[in-house]
Amino acid sequence: MVRCLSVAILSLVISRGADGRGKPEVVSVVGRAGESAVLGCDLLPPAGRPPLHVIEWLRFGFLLPIFIQFGLYSPRIDPDYLGRVRLQKGASLQIEGLRAEDQGWYECRVLFLDQHSPEDDSANGSWVHLTVNSPPQFLETPPQVLEVRELEAVTLRCVARGSPQPHVTWKGGTGDLPHPLLPQVQNGTLWIRRVERGSSGVYTCQASSTEGSASHATQLLVLGPPVIVVPPKNSTVNASQDVSLACRAEAYPTNLTYSWFQDSINVFHISRLQPRVRILVDGSLRLQATQPDDAGRYTCVPSNGLLRPPSASAYLTVLYPAQVTAMPPETPLPVGMRGVIRCPVRANPPLLFVSWTKDGQALQLDKLPGWSQGPEGSLIIALGNEDALGEYACTPYNSLGTAGPSPAPPDARSGLQAPPAFLERPKEEYFQEVGRELLIPCSAQGDPPPAISWAKVRLLTLNSSLILRPLTKEAHGRWECTASNAVARVTTSTHVYVLGTSPHVVTNVSVVPLPKGANVSWEPGFDGGYLQRFSVWAKRPDRTHHDWVSLAVPVGASYLLVPGLQPHTQYQFSVLAQNKLGSGPFSEIVLLPTTEMPPPLSPPRGLVAVRTPRGVLLHWDPPELVPETLDGYVLEGRQGSQGWEVLDRAVAGTEMQLVSEWGWDGWR
Ligand SMILES: *[C@@H]1O[C@H](CO)[C@@H](O)[C@H](O)[C@H]1NC(C)=O
Ligand SMILES: *[C@@H]1O[C@H](CO)[C@@H](O)[C@H](O)[C@H]1NC(C)=O
Ligand SMILES: *[C@@H]1O[C@H](CO)[C@@H](O)[C@H](O)[C@H]1NC(C)=O
Ligand SMILES: *[C@@H]1O[C@H](CO)[C@@H](O)[C@H](O)[C@H]1NC(C)=O
Ligand SMILES: *[C@@H]1O[C@H](CO)[C@@H](O)[C@H](O)[C@H]1NC(C)=O
Ligand SMILES: *[C@@H]1O[C@H](CO)[C@@H](O)[C@H](O)[C@H]1NC(C)=O
Ligand SMILES: *[C@@H]1O[C@H](CO)[C@@H](O)[C@H](O)[C@H]1NC(C)=O
Ligand SMILES: *[C@@H]1O[C@H](CO)[C@@H](O)[C@H](O)[C@H]1NC(C)=O
């Protein structure tokens, strides 16, 4: 606030009529708070000794004059003005130490005591308006530091007074705010609908008028979860080296703690990592002497306890020379068959090759016919025989080299063993009456002796030579006999037909919609050893199961055309097989979708018959609504009142020439 005590600026404008004594006019005086102003009054003659008089200054709204002076007596002054007013140059009044409340209308009156002229008896002065200007001053401001939670709303209110009324503006935050969520200013109040991290900063309100300006700054601090500014990066490290994964976050409040997870398990809860891992103050993860198993996804979660903490992940790749993991102490080889000796390896970068030794001698596979390298470095021996027996060791290599050959325990020898071979196989098919016994042989030999197991294809699993006693309907089907030992597994199969049962369920029921009907077809199941007949059952889904209607199927057929169905109505279908011993189970229920029912056809129109030298030419127009699939027309004719006869079942076009003169007198 600037105060200028030394200079009093006042403007005094007095307008008078042309004769100089006319009607008094309104005068305006402007002063500044704290300074002084003179309210002019020239009712006393400018020169000479004025007659005896009383000077009064009245203020609009005050009952008594604020200033009365008679002659040389000390004036009477209103308490609000005491010590601040004195006369100056005639009857003008000087007010010092102007206050905002001094603003208002004043009137000067001079009363001449020794004059008797009525018009001069009392002269009314001019009304003077005093304006007291003041620089802006805040009545209300927000606190200097304000903490707001993220996503909440904030209101910063600056109210200022002064004369003239100051204008309040706001600056700050991110400057010229293009974001819709960023501050809006209305009538001196700044409003942020949803505070974000970026909303934090210093906001300044400024109240300004022609009299000066005042400003107030508020620091907005946004409380929220941290933001990761430096996320971890995918890293690759050579095994046994140390590695750091960065994770730097910013937050307010700044009490950050960082947690790190490997594949979603806290690193301090993984015993393999725990002694080698540290989380540094800057949030980064330091892992010492990396091992192949340390590879994986690492996730950093910084938290200050507010809302949901963010997370960032990176993958750690650990490179190491190829190494053998768990070489089996013994690998059996099947005699006379292909055998495989595996070399279980892990490597990153990937395995390049594996070298093999047999009884301490390097194996040169390209010089050994029948020996080759298989997938993942395994050794393939085309024909297992005595020569293959021995102690094998493998040494894997990748671009970083090898961790060494497979450890060779003293008993690490490959053994030669015989794969299973069937001694007795089941026949191709067995037909047997239900309730009787059915024995199906299946035996095999091998070293070690193979285990035999029987399994019904897609049904129960049995072992031993297969005895079905008593033979049941369920035993019908395909059976597999498997012989397996440590080196191989061989399989043979047979089909068992159980005779003397009710039919088996039909399969693959399908329904094709036809105009006003449907074609139901199916795959018959086994007939149980007797002739089977089928029936098709149909009902609408909204009816109860008492409403199933059965339709007989001609012998030998495996489909049925079901007529007389309502259009746009759903139907359910099921198929049942029967023989002289009874009926099999119903098939699954198949639905005829209404949407697939073609709409009913409308009749062809405008049939005309023209007699020509070559016969009769019939011509007609297609139906009003031609369906997408119109196969053709059926032409019927009749003679006299005889019955209609079909002339042609499949007319493609809309015209037909009847060559010979028939005596037809009706066509449709
Ligand atoms: C002075 O003003 C008062 C009130 O406006 C009025 O009644 C009176 O006649 C005036 N006197 C003169 C001399 O003009
Ligand atoms: C603006 O603020 C002033 C001072 O608080 C108040 O008197 C006035 O009614 C407000 N005007 C509007 C439009 O809100
Ligand atoms: C980090 O590695 C993962 C897995 O290999 C991959 O999906 C992702 O794209 C990599 N990120 C970058 C930034 O390279
Ligand atoms: C890892 O080891 C290989 C081979 O020794 C070397 O070329 C490479 O520079 C090493 N990488 C790092 C990051 O030390
Ligand atoms: C950090 O401080 C906030 C507010 O003081 C508190 O609510 C939170 O629990 C603290 N977080 C941590 C991790 O100490
Ligand atoms: C059938 O297998 C079981 C275990 O799978 C076995 O204990 C049993 O001896 C086998 N039966 C025959 C007859 O092989
Ligand atoms: C039943 O249908 C499926 C698929 O359409 C087909 O693979 C199968 O062979 C059919 N079954 C019979 C018994 O026709
Ligand atoms: C009904 O379906 C059967 C079997 O798919 C088929 O052979 C027969 O031609 C079909 N009949 C009609 C009229 O579509």
Side-chain angles (χ1 to χ4, degrees):
M1 191 193 302
V2 178
R3 265 195 169 199
C4 186
L5 290 172
S6 55
V7 186
I9 298 175
L10 58 94
S11 67
L12 175 59
V13 183
I14 301 177
S15 314
R16 289 198 159 267
D19 62 350
R21 294 211 49 180
K23 223 176 129 204
E25 305 247 329
V26 168
V27 173
S28 179
V29 175
V30 178
R32 272 194 184 154
E35 297 174 1
S36 69
V38 175
L39 309 182
C41 180
D42 60 353
L43 293 179
L44 291 176
R49 245 181 79 88
L52 201 55
H53 61 274
V54 176
I55 298 173
E56 289 181 347
W57 277 94
L58 294 93
R59 182 168 173 193
F60 183 78
F62 281 59
L63 199 59
L64 297 174
I66 58 157
F67 182 95
I68 305 173
Q69 183 156 39
F70 171 57
L72 296 174
Y73 293 100
S74 45
R76 189 239 153 226
I77 298 173
D78 186 279
D80 286 351
Y81 290 84
L82 213 56
R84 298 199 290 135
V85 287
R86 59 190 164 86
L87 280 185
Q88 223 199 26
K89 209 174 85 188
S92 298
L93 184 74
Q94 180 174 22
I95 309 179
E96 291 179 328
L98 283 175
R99 300 172 183 165
E101 51 276 21
D102 294 343
Q103 182 161 306
W105 288 97
Y106 293 81
E107 187 193 17
C108 162
R109 281 189 194 171
V110 179
L111 189 69
F112 294 98
L113 300 180
D114 53 351
Q115 285 197 3
H116 303 289
S117 160
E119 70 264 46
D120 282 345
D121 188 35
S122 145
N124 284 351
S126 341
W127 282 99
V128 179
H129 185 263
L130 173 66
T131 304
V132 180
N133 276 354
S134 55
Q137 199 181 357
F138 284 115
L139 290 178
E140 191 182 328
T141 50
Q144 284 180 330
V145 177
L146 187 61
E147 289 186 339
V148 185
R149 274 177 171 258
E150 205 174 70
L151 307 182
E152 286 181 357
V154 69
T155 301
L156 302 180
R157 205 166 124 83
C158 276
V159 180
R161 72 160 179 206
S163 183
Q165 178 65 40
H167 179 62
V168 177
T169 55
W170 280 91
K171 279 194 305 196
T174 39
D176 292 331
L177 324 155
H179 200 283
L181 291 179
L182 285 174
Q184 299 183 335
V185 176
Q186 203 177 31
N187 196 18
T189 298
L190 175 131
W191 183 61
I192 306 178
R193 186 148 55 90
R194 238 177 65 196
V195 165
E196 295 178 342
R197 231 175 82 78
S199 311
S200 59
V202 175
Y203 291 81
T204 306
C205 71
Q206 177 156 12
S208 39
S209 71
T210 50
E211 292 300 305
S213 68
S215 64
H216 172 87
T218 292
Q219 184 172 20
L220 189 67
L221 295 172
V222 180
L223 301 168
V227 170
I228 297 175
V229 288
V230 182
K233 287 204 203 79
N234 282 356
S235 304
T236 299
V237 65
N238 284 344
S240 83
Q241 287 178 337
D242 299 350
V243 68
S244 280
L245 295 173
C247 181
R248 194 153 62 74
E250 283 176 0
Y252 185 84
T254 53
N255 54 346
L256 273 174
T257 53
Y258 291 89
S259 308
W260 278 91
F261 299 85
Q262 189 201 21
D263 298 328
S264 74
I265 301 172
N266 190 310
V267 289
F268 291 118
H269 299 163
I270 302 174
S271 53
R272 178 174 45 77
L273 290 179
Q274 209 225 342
R276 295 181 290 123
V277 80
R278 273 200 306 144
I279 296 174
L280 307 187
V281 200
D282 65 359
S284 60
L285 178 84
R286 182 132 189 92
L287 186 56
Q288 293 171 319
T290 48
Q291 300 171 359
D293 288 336
D294 296 344
R297 189 170 66 118
Y298 285 81
T299 303
C300 153
V301 180
S303 167
N304 61 353
L306 291 188
L307 300 173
R308 264 175 74 103
S311 71
S313 297
Y315 287 84
L316 177 68
T317 305
V318 180
L319 302 180
Y320 51 93
Q323 52 185 245
V324 184
T325 52
M327 187 76 171
E330 200 168 88
T331 302
L333 279 183
V335 171
M337 284 180 80
R338 198 181 92 120
V340 177
I341 305 176
R342 283 180 216 294
C343 180
V345 168
R346 70 172 176 183
N348 192 4
L351 185 69
L352 288 179
F353 65 94
V354 173
S355 72
W356 285 91
T357 59
K358 179 173 179 257
D359 299 323
Q361 301 292 311
L363 276 177
Q364 288 183 307
L365 296 180
D366 45 350
K367 295 193 182 142
L368 290 168
W371 295 52
S372 60
Q373 189 130 44
E376 287 152 20
S378 59
L379 184 64
I380 297 178
I381 300 167
L383 196 68
N385 57 26
E386 290 291 331
D387 294 344
L389 298 185
E391 189 178 288
Y392 289 82
C394 62
T395 310
Y397 294 87
N398 65 4
S399 59
L400 293 181
T402 181
S406 54
D411 60 346
R413 308 203 113 249
S414 69
L416 203 54
Q417 292 179 334
F422 282 113
L423 293 171
E424 199 175 6
R425 287 171 186 269
K427 287 189 296 180
E428 190 82 0
E429 293 174 331
Y430 290 87
F431 294 88
Q432 178 61 292
E433 289 291 322
V434 68
R436 303 270 187 85
E437 173 180 306
L438 175 61
L439 184 144
I440 306 176
C442 179
S443 60
Q445 65 180 13
D447 171 29
I452 307 275
S453 69
W454 276 94
K456 184 167 179 199
V457 181
R458 293 200 304 133
L459 206 64
L460 36 145
T461 305
L462 301 170
N463 59 2
S464 90
S465 191
L466 182 64
I467 302 172
L468 300 166
R469 182 174 54 197
L471 192 58
T472 60
K473 185 176 174 182
E474 288 68 39
H476 176 92
R478 188 146 204 92
W479 289 84
E480 262 180 14
C481 173
T482 302
S484 59
N485 68 4
V487 288
R489 171 189 168 94
V490 291
T491 291
T492 180
S493 72
T494 180
H495 202 122
V496 174
Y497 292 90
V498 180
L499 303 178
T501 68
S502 53
H504 287 248
V505 70
V506 308
T507 53
N508 284 16
V509 178
S510 77
V511 181
V512 177
L514 300 171
K516 292 192 183 170
N519 186 1
V520 182
S521 58
W522 57 91
E523 297 287 343
F526 180 58
D527 60 9
Y530 299 100
L531 177 73
Q532 64 178 342
R533 304 190 54 152
F534 300 100
S535 50
V536 170
W537 295 66
K539 80 170 182 72
R540 287 167 50 170
D542 50 346
R543 301 288 163 80
T544 70
H545 61 264
H546 299 298
D547 292 318
W548 282 106
V549 173
S550 85
L551 304 155
V553 177
V555 177
S558 63
Y559 72 90
L560 182 71
L561 299 177
V562 181
L565 300 181
Q566 302 280 329
H568 307 296
T569 311
Q570 271 202 330
Y571 286 91
Q572 294 173 320
F573 295 95
S574 179
V575 180
L576 182 70
Q578 264 177 305
N579 65 13
K580 72 175 193 183
L581 293 178
S583 44
F586 276 100
S587 73
E588 54 172 342
I589 292 175
V590 176
L591 211 57
L592 169 67
T594 49
T595 49
E596 287 186 16
M597 286 280 278
L601 283 173
S602 62
R605 298 164 301 157
L607 175 63
V608 188
V610 184
R611 207 176 281 272
T612 67
R614 295 179 51 221
V616 175
L617 178 69
L618 297 176
H619 177 90
W620 60 92
D621 292 329
E624 202 154 13
L625 297 169
V626 183
E628 271 177 43
T629 54
L630 179 67
D631 297 331
Y633 300 91
V634 178
L635 191 65
E636 293 181 354
R638 73 171 175 185
Q639 201 164 19
S641 56
Q642 292 175 8
W644 290 97
E645 280 182 38
V646 175
L647 294 180
D648 198 326
R649 279 208 173 273
V651 186
T654 57
E655 232 177 42
M656 174 117 190
Q657 178 78 53
L658 295 178
V659 180
S660 49
E661 277 276 2
W662 291 77
W664 305 108
D665 62 1
W667 286 284
R668 65 181 183 195

Coordinates of all heavy atoms in Angstrom, one line a residue, residues 608-619 635 655-664 667:
V608 N -51.7 -67.4 -68.1 CA -52.4 -67.2 -69.4 C -52.0 -68.4 -70.3 O -50.9 -68.9 -70.4 CB -51.9 -65.9 -70.1 CG1 -52.7 -65.6 -71.4 CG2 -51.9 -64.8 -69.2
A609 N -53.0 -68.9 -71.1 CA -52.8 -70.0 -72.1 C -53.1 -69.5 -73.5 O -54.1 -68.9 -73.7 CB -53.6 -71.2 -71.7
V610 N -52.1 -69.6 -74.4 CA -52.3 -69.2 -75.7 C -52.2 -70.3 -76.7 O -51.2 -71.1 -76.6 CB -51.2 -68.1 -76.1 CG1 -51.5 -67.5 -77.5 CG2 -51.2 -67.0 -75.1
R611 N -53.2 -70.5 -77.5 CA -53.1 -71.6 -78.5 C -52.2 -71.2 -79.7 O -52.4 -70.1 -80.2 CB -54.5 -71.9 -79.0 CG -54.7 -73.4 -79.5 CD -56.1 -73.6 -79.9 NE -57.0 -73.9 -78.7 CZ -57.1 -75.1 -78.1 NH1 -56.5 -76.1 -78.6 NH2 -57.9 -75.2 -77.1
T612 N -51.2 -71.9 -80.0 CA -50.3 -71.5 -81.1 C -50.2 -72.7 -82.1 O -50.7 -73.8 -81.7 CB -48.8 -71.3 -80.6 OG1 -48.3 -72.5 -80.1 CG2 -48.8 -70.3 -79.4
P613 N -49.7 -72.5 -83.3 CA -49.6 -73.6 -84.2 C -48.9 -74.8 -83.7 O -49.1 -75.9 -84.0 CB -48.8 -73.0 -85.4 CG -48.9 -71.5 -85.2 CD -49.2 -71.2 -83.8
R614 N -47.9 -74.5 -82.7 CA -47.1 -75.7 -82.2 C -47.8 -76.3 -81.0 O -47.2 -77.3 -80.5 CB -45.7 -75.2 -81.9 CG -45.0 -74.7 -83.1 CD -43.6 -74.2 -82.7 NE -42.9 -75.2 -81.9 CZ -42.1 -74.9 -80.9 NH1 -42.0 -73.6 -80.5 NH2 -41.5 -75.8 -80.2
G615 N -48.8 -75.7 -80.5 CA -49.5 -76.3 -79.3 C -50.0 -75.2 -78.4 O -50.5 -74.2 -78.9
V616 N -49.9 -75.4 -77.1 CA -50.4 -74.4 -76.2 C -49.2 -73.8 -75.4 O -48.4 -74.5 -74.9 CB -51.4 -75.0 -75.2 CG1 -51.8 -74.0 -74.1 CG2 -52.6 -75.6 -75.9
L617 N -49.1 -72.5 -75.4 CA -48.1 -71.8 -74.6 C -48.7 -71.3 -73.3 O -49.6 -70.5 -73.3 CB -47.5 -70.6 -75.5 CG -46.4 -69.9 -74.7 CD1 -45.1 -70.7 -74.6 CD2 -46.0 -68.6 -75.4
L618 N -48.1 -71.7 -72.2 CA -48.5 -71.3 -70.9 C -47.5 -70.2 -70.4 O -46.3 -70.4 -70.6 CB -48.6 -72.4 -69.9 CG -49.6 -73.5 -70.2 CD1 -49.5 -74.6 -69.2 CD2 -51.0 -72.9 -70.2
H619 N -48.0 -69.2 -69.9 CA -47.2 -68.1 -69.3 C -47.7 -67.6 -68.0 O -48.9 -67.5 -67.9 CB -47.0 -67.0 -70.3 CG -46.2 -65.8 -69.8 ND1 -44.8 -65.8 -70.0 CD2 -46.5 -64.8 -69.0 CE1 -44.3 -64.8 -69.3 NE2 -45.3 -64.1 -68.8
L635 N -46.3 -77.9 -62.5 CA -47.5 -77.7 -63.4 C -48.4 -78.8 -63.4 O -48.0 -80.0 -63.6 CB -46.9 -77.4 -64.8 CG -47.8 -76.9 -65.9 CD1 -48.2 -75.5 -65.5 CD2 -47.2 -76.9 -67.2
E655 N -42.6 -70.0 -68.2 CA -43.2 -70.2 -69.5 C -43.1 -71.7 -69.8 O -42.2 -72.4 -69.4 CB -42.5 -69.5 -70.6 CG -43.4 -68.6 -71.4 CD -42.6 -67.8 -72.4 OE1 -41.6 -68.4 -73.1 OE2 -42.9 -66.7 -72.6
M656 N -44.1 -72.3 -70.5 CA -44.0 -73.7 -70.9 C -44.8 -73.9 -72.2 O -45.9 -73.4 -72.3 CB -44.7 -74.5 -69.7 CG -44.8 -75.9 -70.1 SD -43.8 -76.9 -69.0 CE -43.8 -78.5 -69.8
Q657 N -44.2 -74.6 -73.1 CA -44.8 -74.9 -74.4 C -45.3 -76.3 -74.3 O -44.5 -77.2 -74.0 CB -43.8 -74.7 -75.5 CG -44.3 -75.1 -76.9 CD -45.2 -74.0 -77.5 OE1 -44.7 -72.9 -77.5 NE2 -46.4 -74.3 -77.9
L658 N -46.6 -76.5 -74.4 CA -47.2 -77.9 -74.4 C -47.3 -78.3 -75.9 O -48.0 -77.7 -76.6 CB -48.6 -77.9 -73.8 CG -48.6 -77.6 -72.3 CD1 -50.0 -77.6 -71.7 CD2 -47.7 -78.6 -71.5
V659 N -46.4 -79.2 -76.3 CA -46.2 -79.4 -77.7 C -47.5 -80.1 -78.4 O -48.1 -79.5 -79.3 CB -45.0 -80.3 -78.0 CG1 -44.8 -80.6 -79.4 CG2 -43.7 -79.6 -77.4
S660 N -47.9 -81.2 -77.8 CA -49.0 -81.9 -78.5 C -50.3 -81.3 -78.0 O -50.4 -80.7 -76.9 CB -48.9 -83.4 -78.2 OG -48.7 -83.6 -76.8
E661 N -51.3 -81.4 -78.9 CA -52.6 -80.9 -78.5 C -53.3 -81.9 -77.6 O -53.8 -82.9 -77.9 CB -53.5 -80.7 -79.8 CG -53.3 -79.5 -80.5 CD -54.1 -78.3 -80.0 OE1 -54.8 -78.5 -79.0 OE2 -53.9 -77.2 -80.5
W662 N -53.3 -81.5 -76.3 CA -54.0 -82.3 -75.4 C -55.4 -81.7 -75.2 O -55.6 -80.5 -75.5 CB -53.4 -82.4 -74.0 CG -52.1 -83.2 -74.0 CD1 -50.9 -82.8 -74.5 CD2 -51.9 -84.5 -73.6 NE1 -49.9 -83.7 -74.4 CE2 -50.6 -84.8 -73.8 CE3 -52.8 -85.5 -73.1 CZ2 -50.0 -86.1 -73.5 CZ3 -52.2 -86.7 -72.7 CH2 -50.9 -87.0 -73.0
G663 N -56.3 -82.5 -74.8 CA -57.6 -81.9 -74.6 C -57.8 -81.2 -73.3 O -58.9 -81.1 -72.7
W664 N -56.7 -80.7 -72.6 CA -56.8 -80.1 -71.3 C -57.6 -78.9 -71.4 O -57.5 -78.1 -72.3 CB -55.4 -79.8 -70.8 CG -54.5 -80.9 -70.7 CD1 -53.4 -81.1 -71.5 CD2 -54.5 -82.0 -69.8 NE1 -52.7 -82.2 -71.2 CE2 -53.4 -82.8 -70.1 CE3 -55.4 -82.4 -68.8 CZ2 -53.2 -84.0 -69.5 CZ3 -55.1 -83.6 -68.1 CH2 -54.0 -84.4 -68.5
W667 N -55.5 -75.6 -66.2 CA -54.1 -75.7 -65.8 C -53.9 -74.9 -64.5 O -54.6 -74.0 -64.2 CB -53.2 -75.0 -66.9 CG -53.0 -75.9 -68.1 CD1 -52.3 -77.0 -68.3 CD2 -53.7 -75.6 -69.4 NE1 -52.4 -77.5 -69.6 CE2 -53.3 -76.6 -70.2 CE3 -54.6 -74.7 -69.8 CZ2 -53.7 -76.7 -71.6 CZ3 -55.0 -74.7 -71.1 CH2 -54.6 -75.8 -72.0

